[in-house]
Amino acid sequence: MRGRKLGRNATHRKAMFRNMACSLISSVRVDEDDPQAPQVPGRIVTTVPKAKELRPYVEKLITMARKARVHAERAREFGTTAERDSDAWRTWRESDKWAQWAAATAPALALRRRAFQLLRSNEAVDVLFDELAERFEDRPGGYTRIVRLAKRRLGDAGEQALIEFVGERDRTRTRQRSAPLVVEDEPESDATPAAADETETAEAEDAAASETEGGASDEEKSEQQ
Amino acid sequence: MAVPKRRQSKSRSRKRRSHNAVKPLELAHCPQCGTAAPTHVVCPNCGYYQGRTMVEVEG
C-alpha cells in the first residue's frame, strides 16, 4: 500500500485520517464562547508521521473545494436570492433559470459530496468550501505546513509536530536567493564584504519588521480575549 | 535444543558492547533566546522558528 500504515488496519487508518482532517479543518472556525475552543485556529498537534500522512489528505480536500468554487461562481448568475417556497422562488423554480442553475451547480455539489465522504461532518465541509476555498483561491497547492516541536510525547516519546494552514505566521524571506552582484571594476575582496553588510542590514530590518508585526498581532489577540 | 557451551566472558560481552554507546543529542541554540534544543524544531522556550514565533508561550 501507499504511505505509512501507522500500526493500524485499513479501516482504523481511514477513520483516523477522517477524524484528524475534520479536526484540522473545523479548528479554522473558532467559537469564542466554547471553553474547549482551539487555542490557535487552523492548527492541530500530532506526531510527525501522522502529520505527514495527513497533509495530502487535507490538501486534496482543499483542491476539491477550490475547484467547486468556480462552478458555484458560475451558478450564482442563474440563482435566486428569494426565500424558499416564496412566490418569487416558485417562479424561479419553474423557469429555465432553475435548470441552468442546477446544471451549473451540479459539479460543485458533487465535489461537496465527495468531500463529505472523506470528512463525514457538515460543519467541516462548510468551513472547507466557504472559508478555506476562498483563502487558498490563488495558491496552487501547498496549503499546509508541518513544523516539528521540541517536546516529545508523554508516554511513548513520540516526535510531535504541528500541522496548520499556511497564510498566518509565514516565513519572511530574510536572505536573498541569488548571490550579491560583484561589481567588476572593484577588487572582489572589497566588494564582497560590502555586499554582505548590505544583506545583513536588510536582514536586521526584516527581523525588526517581523518583530513589530508579531507584537501587533499579540496585542490584537489579547484584545480579542 | 542448542545451548551455549560456555558462559561468555566479560571481555567478549564488553567488546561486543563497545559500539553500543548512545551519542549525546546534537543541540542548537535558539537565535532569539539561546535555549538549547534539537535542530529543526520550534524553540521550546520562546516558540521561535525560522524568523517568526510559531507557538505563543504564556508568561
Side-chain angles (χ1 to χ4, degrees), chain A residues 36-69:
Chain A
Q36 294 203 313
Q39 290 170 348
V40 185
R43 166 190 285 186
I44 58 171
V45 174
T46 174
T47 64
V48 174
K50 270 153 89 178
K52 286 189 173 182
E53 287 296 308
L54 180 65
R55 192 209 278 255
Y57 193 96
V58 171
E59 300 215 343
K60 278 174 187 126
L61 280 166
I62 292 180
T63 308
M64 260 184 233
R66 280 180 56 223
K67 281 182 181 160
R69 212 178 137 74

Side-chain angles (χ1 to χ4, degrees), chain A residues 38-104:
Chain A
Q39 290 170 348
V40 185
R43 166 190 285 186
I44 58 171
V45 174
T46 174
T47 64
V48 174
K50 270 153 89 178
K52 286 189 173 182
E53 287 296 308
L54 180 65
R55 192 209 278 255
Y57 193 96
V58 171
E59 300 215 343
K60 278 174 187 126
L61 280 166
I62 292 180
T63 308
M64 260 184 233
R66 280 180 56 223
K67 281 182 181 160
R69 212 178 137 74
V70 182
H71 299 293
E73 200 71 40
R74 202 181 303 151
R76 197 163 295 151
E77 68 175 287
F78 306 117
T80 179
T81 50
E83 204 177 315
R84 199 180 169 86
D85 285 338
S86 64
D87 288 342
W89 184 85
R90 284 221 178 85
T91 51
W92 170 77
R93 175 68 180 79
E94 275 147 33
S95 65
D96 288 346
K97 275 205 161 181
W98 177 80
Q100 286 170 311
W101 174 83

Side-chain angles (χ1 to χ4, degrees), chain A residues 63-162:
Chain A
T63 308
M64 260 184 233
R66 280 180 56 223
K67 281 182 181 160
R69 212 178 137 74
V70 182
H71 299 293
E73 200 71 40
R74 202 181 303 151
R76 197 163 295 151
E77 68 175 287
F78 306 117
T80 179
T81 50
E83 204 177 315
R84 199 180 169 86
D85 285 338
S86 64
D87 288 342
W89 184 85
R90 284 221 178 85
T91 51
W92 170 77
R93 175 68 180 79
E94 275 147 33
S95 65
D96 288 346
K97 275 205 161 181
W98 177 80
Q100 286 170 311
W101 174 83
T105 339
L109 190 62
L111 284 164
R112 218 184 158 89
R113 285 174 179 162
R114 270 178 64 198
F116 183 76
Q117 275 189 327
L118 292 173
L119 290 169
R120 301 299 296 176
S121 156
N122 280 315
E123 191 207 348
V125 173
D126 281 346
V127 175
L128 182 66
F129 280 71
D130 300 342
E131 289 183 29
L132 292 173
E134 194 185 342
R135 189 163 146 190
F136 296 124
E137 202 181 359
D138 302 323
R139 178 176 272 269
Y143 316 111
T144 55
R145 165 193 307 133
I146 296 171
V147 183
R148 285 164 193 266
L149 301 176
K151 203 179 174 200
R152 294 298 192 107
R153 190 160 69 178
L154 183 69
D156 67 351
E159 228 181 316
Q160 287 188 300
L162 59 85

Side-chain angles (χ1 to χ4, degrees), chain B:
Chain B
M1 206 176 87
V3 200
K5 192 174 183 182
R6 286 227 159 268
R7 176 197 154 98
Q8 221 168 30
S9 69
K10 282 191 278 188
S11 160
R12 201 168 261 272
S13 304
R14 284 170 187 177
K15 264 193 256 173
R16 186 179 60 246
R17 290 177 196 152
S18 69
H19 299 289
N20 292 2
V22 177
K23 280 186 187 155
L25 274 174
E26 297 240 12
L27 299 177
H29 296 282
C30 168
Q32 189 164 279
C33 69
T35 314
T39 52
H40 307 103
V41 301
V42 175
C43 173
N45 185 41
C46 64
Y48 181 84
Y49 186 63
Q50 291 190 342
R52 80 279 206 217
T53 304
M54 288 301 298
V55 182
E56 299 291 339
V57 182
E58 288 169 30

Side-chain angles (χ1 to χ4, degrees), chain A residues 188-201:
Chain A
E188 203 175 297
S189 57
D190 284 350
T192 335
D197 283 350
E198 272 170 28
T199 51
E200 268 171 28
T201 49

